[in-house]
Amino acid sequence: MAGSVFGNIFKVTTWGESHGPALGAVVDGCPAGLPIDEEYIQKFLDRRKPGQSEFSTKRNEADKVNILSGVFEGKTTGTPISLVIYNNSQISKDYSNIAECYRPGHADYTFDQKYGFRDYRGGGRSSGRETAGRVAAGAIAVKLLSEFGVEFTTYVESVADISIDYSRFDKSEISKNMLYMPDKTAAEEAAEYLKNLSADKDSSGATVKCVISGVPSGLGDPVFDKLDARLASAIMSIGAVKSFEVGNGKLASKLKGSENNDEFYSENGEVRKRTNNSGGILGGISDGSDIILTAAFKPTPSIYKAQNTVNSKNENISLEIKGRHDPIIAPRAVVVVETMAAIVLADALIMNCGSRVDNLKKIYDR
Amino acid sequence: MAGSVFGNIFKVTTWGESHGPALGAVVDGCPAGLPIDEEYIQKFLDRRKPGQSEFSTKRNEADKVNILSGVFEGKTTGTPISLVIYNNSQISKDYSNIAECYRPGHADYTFDQKYGFRDYRGGGRSSGRETAGRVAAGAIAVKLLSEFGVEFTTYVESVADISIDYSRFDKSEISKNMLYMPDKTAAEEAAEYLKNLSADKDSSGATVKCVISGVPSGLGDPVFDKLDARLASAIMSIGAVKSFEVGNGKLASKLKGSENNDEFYSENGEVRKRTNNSGGILGGISDGSDIILTAAFKPTPSIYKAQNTVNSKNENISLEIKGRHDPIIAPRAVVVVETMAAIVLADALIMNCGSRVDNLKKIYDR
Amino acid sequence: MAGSVFGNIFKVTTWGESHGPALGAVVDGCPAGLPIDEEYIQKFLDRRKPGQSEFSTKRNEADKVNILSGVFEGKTTGTPISLVIYNNSQISKDYSNIAECYRPGHADYTFDQKYGFRDYRGGGRSSGRETAGRVAAGAIAVKLLSEFGVEFTTYVESVADISIDYSRFDKSEISKNMLYMPDKTAAEEAAEYLKNLSADKDSSGATVKCVISGVPSGLGDPVFDKLDARLASAIMSIGAVKSFEVGNGKLASKLKGSENNDEFYSENGEVRKRTNNSGGILGGISDGSDIILTAAFKPTPSIYKAQNTVNSKNENISLEIKGRHDPIIAPRAVVVVETMAAIVLADALIMNCGSRVDNLKKIYDR
Amino acid sequence: MAGSVFGNIFKVTTWGESHGPALGAVVDGCPAGLPIDEEYIQKFLDRRKPGQSEFSTKRNEADKVNILSGVFEGKTTGTPISLVIYNNSQISKDYSNIAECYRPGHADYTFDQKYGFRDYRGGGRSSGRETAGRVAAGAIAVKLLSEFGVEFTTYVESVADISIDYSRFDKSEISKNMLYMPDKTAAEEAAEYLKNLSADKDSSGATVKCVISGVPSGLGDPVFDKLDARLASAIMSIGAVKSFEVGNGKLASKLKGSENNDEFYSENGEVRKRTNNSGGILGGISDGSDIILTAAFKPTPSIYKAQNTVNSKNENISLEIKGRHDPIIAPRAVVVVETMAAIVLADALIMNCGSRVDNLKKIYDR
């Protein structure tokens, strides 16, 4: 039942419920000497903040991060970094009507089955708010990776059937529209679709893509901690994610070997690939090209339409969910996907240092 | 760089290279008192054996499992179970032409990048043969789960664009055709497709589906060891898997909340769901309905067509791969998907026993 | 470098430096349904509070614990429990003279060697204050164990050469004298000794004994997670502990087999032992009799006497340590030994639930 | 119940029972490029072989190690190293009289309590033979450490009350006498003592000391994976060990701070210590001086004297143990202590590489 610790060396523990006094994370195993401050981390938390757009909830969550340990004179000390985000006074009564009932698509029923009872306020630990701790911790991983030239480009690739058109791909557009799509036209079309859906008391699924450049080759630890296996674990652990793909993903099941293989070639003394169908990972180890991930998010399960369900007394009931809920999960989850991927890569980076005797000797040479 | 241990309590360590003297696994944390013998395990290994069909390699791999510890008088003792599969005299010269070159779609290049050198014979540790240890270990997990009524149905769902038709679904058909498809017509069509592909020195991708019934509700450990996250990690760690889906999977990204939510209802005092779009997992915890997973396998990267690539001296070369290679990976991987899923579930089952104080008291009540 | 997470399932992460804004712990894997509140935990923290006696430091540390997550309506929910203890405004200038120098017997030098720099204020992470998080977390373990009838008796057994006389053993005396000794006469003698030592600007070592009754047989996981190995790890991780013994401990090296073996006998249908030289553990597994541990604490390294040492510029210097430091560590560490032992036992208790298939079936029987 | 995996990155899994077909270990996480062969490992196994002296058992255990994976062309490949030691045809009937009874000082009773039944042949998993796997795995750790100049001196320091005299210390003597004592006179005296004890059907306790030179400063991961905590865990996990000490050990509890502190001084630009009471570890991190450990072994519990005990039917019985048993455990355990310490240090060495951003950059600098 312990499942809130992630990572082998760069080890993240998250804690906190939607309506408790605070949420947070502890990062153990971050190397000493990394410059970091609350301002840096805050930028990531701001990206998952609700109330940013007309498609996200109107609750006022300041989500201000506090560093309580592990940083001294602006640098990490190598000791655990404790990050806390205090919850503003949440009014719990919005959720009182769900205390006794099992919302379709939610974890109410399974938490009761597992633990015997649950903190029902706002979803408790199964709320999307839980990801605040992940984002704060993952921001430190992004910072660590940035020291090695690693960069992330993460965005919403599709909303229902509306996909971005890569011929219109514009990275700068991602932070400009409320759906974090790198294609203004697609973003406008999707916005219109969501508006109508909201009016219909419904919600939509979407996909998020994460492209990571500058990753050194050699990261990932076969056979069970292959880089793609670790990334899959990290991304699938985000609430509402129903599929994970790397590179060509599911499409690879439809291709021929001659179509899917990436040819190597040598140029200026470096080994490169003509295509990147593998998504930057071969045999579970990074190959130096871009790492490409896709996650599919289910539609928000909290919809305003009346739904049939049961309560904890096992009675059939009709439920109308109140409160404020986004009609789409993916835009706010973009930064969650990015930071979870960063945690995996930071961990793999540190793990890789011990993989060769000559590497160890570089450090211990006296 | 340590990545060959999987699981929190039901802990599996695998070892072995394609052309070394043996491969194997150690299962630590299997409860005592489980009846098990070599014959039971052997049936699972036989399902991944090559030479079963015209689409799998003709190498003669007996893959006979030996139990070296942890079983006494036909039952597990609670101590580690060591499983060994000796390699028959493999003739390495088939692979001598690849010692120096980086095969497209293979891990040759990344292993060299990570470890500085590699056992190039037959792919070494990155060979599909590595999964023999997983299957042997996972067979014990299947046995443990069977004591609780858990059952697996695993099969090839599609080969390239040829999908099974669920109106023709016939479970008994799975073991009858060489592609492990539960639809005779689709299997025949796919066989024809692969035959032509082989003639063309090419290979094909495919998908594998695993449906698990009888899983108790309450398994899975949020937030990082959610059941779907653990399953994703297990399945994505299998060589050639490029996507992982649970329930509706990627399709969920295209649906509305009102379409994707599964309504609960009460019948005969039990909570049930009208649909199972979630694939048996809600909030990362099993809900008692069937668990449904889909894995996409890329086409076999070893194709007989000439391919451009580089060698370890960084020279551009043309490569024609020799030896015997399946034109499709998925059929032999069906049992690998099944046993890896079983390892995750066995681990989650044992983990779950401590999730409630009242559960613990059932055992310690004196 | 990640070393702040302890336990397999009942998993404790601690964080915090002596002079940072706060210290704390996260307990992951505590079963749901355990009644717990801040008041219960506070009693344990109060036992390690300084300023309790004339032999402990006069700094005013309120050490008030706050539960930030994982407890709802007075009971644990099975999700991570976050515990925070805010530091009162610590005036750092007391320690400014040690920023640049390596105190004998302290971790200043080794932290610099490992991490390149350190939070020098009050010892930072290597301060005894670090144990506050352990005690808060461990109090929850004690509570869990108390549900199964487990009880702890922990005390100072000796101060330098002054040992308690077991013919005068009085459990109620432990909390009455300032040295936590269960023998009033020995406590008075030791107090007198320490008074003279303080006048001489020196400090003293001591031993702490922990006797644990009511532990069910069967706890501990051979061969590496034997109960005594886990307890050794837990106790030796407490600052200043230099030896760990179980049962007869080092004395066993001087005995004959016929003296050291504990004979079993049967009485009223129960298996018992005539003696308990083994300290309640056989083959790394609890045998149902009292578990008996002894830890030796070195003398407080911070003494007021002038000492020769070096500074971070590698210059030989003479150092006089300022500030307030206990002349003895052990009395305040009594509760740390107790709570660390409890964390190990709670973890082993939960781990043990999966050791037999029949145990698992008790829970899953449907 | 999973307790047979040890280490964070340099991860050792052992398996095997006294009278099963084989015992062994898997070493995962050993860096690639380390020269190793069976001959090197065999030397360590030979040091724990019985039948070496008149005080060890006469069973014929060849203990020949086989490397089944992870080594290619004489060097480690970075993949798991599987080590197997086949048991020669053990005749089990010697042990048949103990199948039903609980030997005093043995784990028979506790294994039955934990697992419900046990492999009673020769002690099964709780036999001293279990350490063969540890020694084989640990030999690889010693080899890795030797590349960095680390050296071990391990010996029996005392047998009952007969201690070595350090004025007569002679390292070369260790391998010359059958008790592995570095003092010929003490060894002779102890041999005489044991001879008389054997005649009296009794056994003796002893202590083992391990001194490790050349360990780089900076190893160990506070607060729970402090180097001494990890070493304690490793050494206490060896059967029959009842106490663990580092440096002055228990003696520190009797000393004053002014006596126990080690003064630093600077010489030729290096920081040194005038004494080494701390045993080479400060704040849980190696300080560059010798690491000094002491383990106390209880007397062999299998004695030929008649003992009162109970059987598994709960009946009081008298037991006379047959078979061949050493009257002292420590000499054969010398190499076990050494190799377990090596596993801890190898793991800490690799862990330390990620502790500083500048260290990571040394490897990733492009």
Side-chain angles (χ1 to χ4, degrees), chain D residues 72-100:
Chain D
F72 183 58
E73 298 178 344
K75 287 184 297 180
T76 57
T77 59
T79 64
I81 305 165
S82 178
L83 303 162
V84 175
I85 299 149
Y86 295 99
N87 282 326
N88 293 341
S89 54
Q90 302 281 2
I91 299 154
S92 292
K93 66 178 169 182
D94 282 348
Y95 296 95
S96 57
N97 74 321
I98 58 150
E100 302 282 297

Short mmCIF file of all heavy atoms in Angstrom, two decimals, chain D residues 72-100:
data_model
loop_
_atom_site.label_atom_id
_atom_site.label_comp_id
_atom_site.label_asym_id
_atom_site.label_seq_id
_atom_site.Cartn_x
_atom_site.Cartn_y
_atom_site.Cartn_z
N PHE D 72 31.79 -11.34 -20.22
CA PHE D 72 32.08 -11.65 -21.63
C PHE D 72 33.52 -11.26 -21.93
O PHE D 72 33.93 -10.15 -21.59
CB PHE D 72 31.10 -10.88 -22.54
CG PHE D 72 31.23 -11.17 -24.01
CD1 PHE D 72 31.09 -12.47 -24.50
CD2 PHE D 72 31.49 -10.15 -24.91
CE1 PHE D 72 31.21 -12.74 -25.86
CE2 PHE D 72 31.61 -10.40 -26.27
CZ PHE D 72 31.46 -11.71 -26.75
N GLU D 73 34.25 -12.17 -22.49
CA GLU D 73 35.67 -11.93 -22.81
C GLU D 73 36.42 -11.42 -21.57
O GLU D 73 37.22 -10.49 -21.65
CB GLU D 73 35.79 -10.95 -23.98
CG GLU D 73 35.15 -11.53 -25.26
CD GLU D 73 35.20 -10.60 -26.46
OE1 GLU D 73 35.44 -9.40 -26.28
OE2 GLU D 73 34.97 -11.10 -27.59
N GLY D 74 36.10 -12.03 -20.40
CA GLY D 74 36.85 -11.73 -19.19
C GLY D 74 36.48 -10.48 -18.44
O GLY D 74 37.10 -10.13 -17.44
N LYS D 75 35.46 -9.78 -18.93
CA LYS D 75 35.07 -8.55 -18.26
C LYS D 75 33.55 -8.53 -18.02
O LYS D 75 32.78 -9.09 -18.81
CB LYS D 75 35.44 -7.32 -19.12
CG LYS D 75 36.92 -7.02 -19.15
CD LYS D 75 37.20 -5.75 -19.92
CE LYS D 75 36.80 -5.87 -21.39
NZ LYS D 75 37.08 -4.64 -22.16
N THR D 76 33.13 -7.84 -16.97
CA THR D 76 31.70 -7.68 -16.73
C THR D 76 31.10 -6.83 -17.84
O THR D 76 31.74 -5.94 -18.38
CB THR D 76 31.45 -6.97 -15.39
OG1 THR D 76 32.14 -5.72 -15.40
CG2 THR D 76 31.97 -7.81 -14.22
N THR D 77 29.83 -7.14 -18.18
CA THR D 77 29.17 -6.42 -19.28
C THR D 77 28.18 -5.37 -18.78
O THR D 77 27.56 -4.67 -19.58
CB THR D 77 28.38 -7.41 -20.17
OG1 THR D 77 27.42 -8.07 -19.34
CG2 THR D 77 29.29 -8.42 -20.81
N GLY D 78 27.99 -5.29 -17.46
CA GLY D 78 26.98 -4.38 -16.92
C GLY D 78 25.63 -5.04 -16.75
O GLY D 78 24.72 -4.45 -16.19
N THR D 79 25.48 -6.25 -17.24
CA THR D 79 24.23 -7.00 -17.08
C THR D 79 24.39 -7.94 -15.88
O THR D 79 25.49 -8.13 -15.39
CB THR D 79 23.92 -7.80 -18.37
OG1 THR D 79 24.95 -8.76 -18.58
CG2 THR D 79 23.86 -6.87 -19.58
N PRO D 80 23.28 -8.51 -15.39
CA PRO D 80 23.37 -9.29 -14.15
C PRO D 80 24.32 -10.49 -14.24
O PRO D 80 24.32 -11.21 -15.24
CB PRO D 80 21.94 -9.76 -13.90
CG PRO D 80 21.09 -9.20 -14.97
CD PRO D 80 21.91 -8.37 -15.88
N ILE D 81 25.10 -10.67 -13.22
CA ILE D 81 26.07 -11.77 -13.14
C ILE D 81 25.45 -12.87 -12.30
O ILE D 81 25.15 -12.68 -11.12
CB ILE D 81 27.39 -11.29 -12.50
CG1 ILE D 81 27.94 -10.08 -13.26
CG2 ILE D 81 28.41 -12.43 -12.44
CD1 ILE D 81 29.03 -9.32 -12.50
N SER D 82 25.23 -14.02 -12.92
CA SER D 82 24.64 -15.14 -12.20
C SER D 82 25.73 -16.11 -11.78
O SER D 82 26.54 -16.55 -12.60
CB SER D 82 23.62 -15.86 -13.09
OG SER D 82 23.08 -16.97 -12.42
N LEU D 83 25.75 -16.44 -10.50
CA LEU D 83 26.78 -17.30 -9.91
C LEU D 83 26.10 -18.51 -9.31
O LEU D 83 25.16 -18.37 -8.52
CB LEU D 83 27.53 -16.54 -8.82
CG LEU D 83 28.18 -15.22 -9.28
CD1 LEU D 83 28.50 -14.34 -8.08
CD2 LEU D 83 29.44 -15.51 -10.08
N VAL D 84 26.55 -19.70 -9.69
CA VAL D 84 25.93 -20.92 -9.17
C VAL D 84 26.98 -21.84 -8.57
O VAL D 84 28.08 -21.99 -9.12
CB VAL D 84 25.16 -21.67 -10.28
CG1 VAL D 84 24.61 -23.00 -9.77
CG2 VAL D 84 24.00 -20.82 -10.79
N ILE D 85 26.63 -22.41 -7.44
CA ILE D 85 27.47 -23.41 -6.77
C ILE D 85 26.61 -24.65 -6.59
O ILE D 85 25.63 -24.62 -5.82
CB ILE D 85 27.94 -22.88 -5.39
CG1 ILE D 85 28.77 -21.62 -5.58
CG2 ILE D 85 28.71 -23.96 -4.63
CD1 ILE D 85 28.66 -20.66 -4.42
N TYR D 86 26.93 -25.72 -7.31
CA TYR D 86 26.12 -26.93 -7.19
C TYR D 86 26.47 -27.67 -5.91
O TYR D 86 27.64 -27.74 -5.53
CB TYR D 86 26.32 -27.83 -8.42
CG TYR D 86 25.82 -27.16 -9.68
CD1 TYR D 86 26.69 -26.52 -10.54
CD2 TYR D 86 24.45 -27.10 -9.96
CE1 TYR D 86 26.23 -25.85 -11.67
CE2 TYR D 86 23.98 -26.44 -11.08
CZ TYR D 86 24.87 -25.81 -11.93
OH TYR D 86 24.41 -25.15 -13.04
N ASN D 87 25.45 -28.18 -5.26
CA ASN D 87 25.68 -29.01 -4.09
C ASN D 87 26.04 -30.42 -4.54
O ASN D 87 25.39 -30.97 -5.42
CB ASN D 87 24.42 -29.08 -3.22
CG ASN D 87 24.25 -27.83 -2.38
OD1 ASN D 87 25.22 -27.23 -1.94
ND2 ASN D 87 23.00 -27.43 -2.17
N ASN D 88 27.07 -30.96 -3.95
CA ASN D 88 27.38 -32.36 -4.22
C ASN D 88 26.29 -33.21 -3.58
O ASN D 88 25.53 -32.75 -2.74
CB ASN D 88 28.74 -32.73 -3.63
CG ASN D 88 29.84 -32.00 -4.37
OD1 ASN D 88 29.63 -31.53 -5.49
ND2 ASN D 88 31.01 -31.90 -3.76
N SER D 89 26.21 -34.44 -4.00
CA SER D 89 25.14 -35.30 -3.49
C SER D 89 25.18 -35.34 -1.97
O SER D 89 26.01 -35.99 -1.36
CB SER D 89 25.30 -36.72 -4.06
OG SER D 89 26.62 -37.17 -3.77
N GLN D 90 24.32 -34.57 -1.38
CA GLN D 90 24.20 -34.52 0.07
C GLN D 90 23.32 -35.66 0.51
O GLN D 90 22.24 -35.87 -0.03
CB GLN D 90 23.55 -33.20 0.49
CG GLN D 90 24.28 -31.96 0.02
CD GLN D 90 25.48 -31.61 0.87
OE1 GLN D 90 25.81 -32.33 1.83
NE2 GLN D 90 26.15 -30.53 0.54
N ILE D 91 23.76 -36.39 1.51
CA ILE D 91 22.92 -37.44 2.06
C ILE D 91 22.09 -36.82 3.18
O ILE D 91 22.61 -36.33 4.18
CB ILE D 91 23.76 -38.61 2.59
CG1 ILE D 91 24.55 -39.20 1.42
CG2 ILE D 91 22.87 -39.67 3.21
CD1 ILE D 91 25.82 -39.90 1.84
N SER D 92 20.79 -36.82 2.97
CA SER D 92 19.92 -36.09 3.88
C SER D 92 19.61 -36.84 5.16
O SER D 92 19.19 -36.25 6.13
CB SER D 92 18.61 -35.73 3.18
OG SER D 92 18.86 -34.80 2.17
N LYS D 93 19.87 -38.12 5.20
CA LYS D 93 19.38 -38.89 6.35
C LYS D 93 20.07 -38.48 7.66
O LYS D 93 19.53 -38.65 8.73
CB LYS D 93 19.50 -40.39 6.12
CG LYS D 93 20.92 -40.90 6.02
CD LYS D 93 20.93 -42.41 5.84
CE LYS D 93 22.36 -42.86 5.47
NZ LYS D 93 22.45 -44.29 5.24
N ASP D 94 21.26 -37.91 7.57
CA ASP D 94 21.92 -37.40 8.78
C ASP D 94 21.00 -36.48 9.57
O ASP D 94 21.10 -36.36 10.78
CB ASP D 94 23.16 -36.60 8.41
CG ASP D 94 24.34 -37.50 8.07
OD1 ASP D 94 24.25 -38.72 8.33
OD2 ASP D 94 25.31 -36.98 7.54
N TYR D 95 20.16 -35.76 8.86
CA TYR D 95 19.35 -34.73 9.49
C TYR D 95 17.93 -35.18 9.79
O TYR D 95 17.12 -34.42 10.29
CB TYR D 95 19.32 -33.48 8.61
CG TYR D 95 20.68 -32.86 8.48
CD1 TYR D 95 21.50 -33.16 7.42
CD2 TYR D 95 21.15 -31.99 9.47
CE1 TYR D 95 22.77 -32.60 7.31
CE2 TYR D 95 22.41 -31.43 9.37
CZ TYR D 95 23.21 -31.74 8.29
OH TYR D 95 24.46 -31.17 8.19
N SER D 96 17.63 -36.46 9.45
CA SER D 96 16.24 -36.89 9.55
C SER D 96 15.70 -36.78 10.98
O SER D 96 14.52 -36.53 11.18
CB SER D 96 16.09 -38.32 9.03
OG SER D 96 16.97 -39.17 9.75
N ASN D 97 16.58 -36.92 11.99
CA ASN D 97 16.06 -36.87 13.36
C ASN D 97 15.68 -35.47 13.80
O ASN D 97 15.11 -35.27 14.87
CB ASN D 97 17.07 -37.49 14.35
CG ASN D 97 18.26 -36.57 14.58
OD1 ASN D 97 18.74 -35.93 13.65
ND2 ASN D 97 18.71 -36.49 15.82
N ILE D 98 16.03 -34.47 13.03
CA ILE D 98 15.68 -33.11 13.44
C ILE D 98 14.48 -32.56 12.67
O ILE D 98 14.05 -31.42 12.90
CB ILE D 98 16.87 -32.14 13.30
CG1 ILE D 98 17.36 -32.11 11.84
CG2 ILE D 98 17.99 -32.51 14.24
CD1 ILE D 98 17.94 -30.79 11.45
N ALA D 99 13.93 -33.35 11.77
CA ALA D 99 12.82 -32.86 10.95
C ALA D 99 11.66 -32.39 11.82
O ALA D 99 10.98 -31.43 11.50
CB ALA D 99 12.35 -33.94 9.98
N GLU D 100 11.47 -33.09 12.91
CA GLU D 100 10.29 -32.82 13.73
C GLU D 100 10.59 -32.04 15.00
O GLU D 100 9.69 -31.80 15.80
CB GLU D 100 9.65 -34.17 14.14
CG GLU D 100 9.24 -35.06 12.98
CD GLU D 100 7.95 -34.59 12.36
OE1 GLU D 100 6.92 -34.60 13.05
OE2 GLU D 100 7.98 -34.19 11.17
#
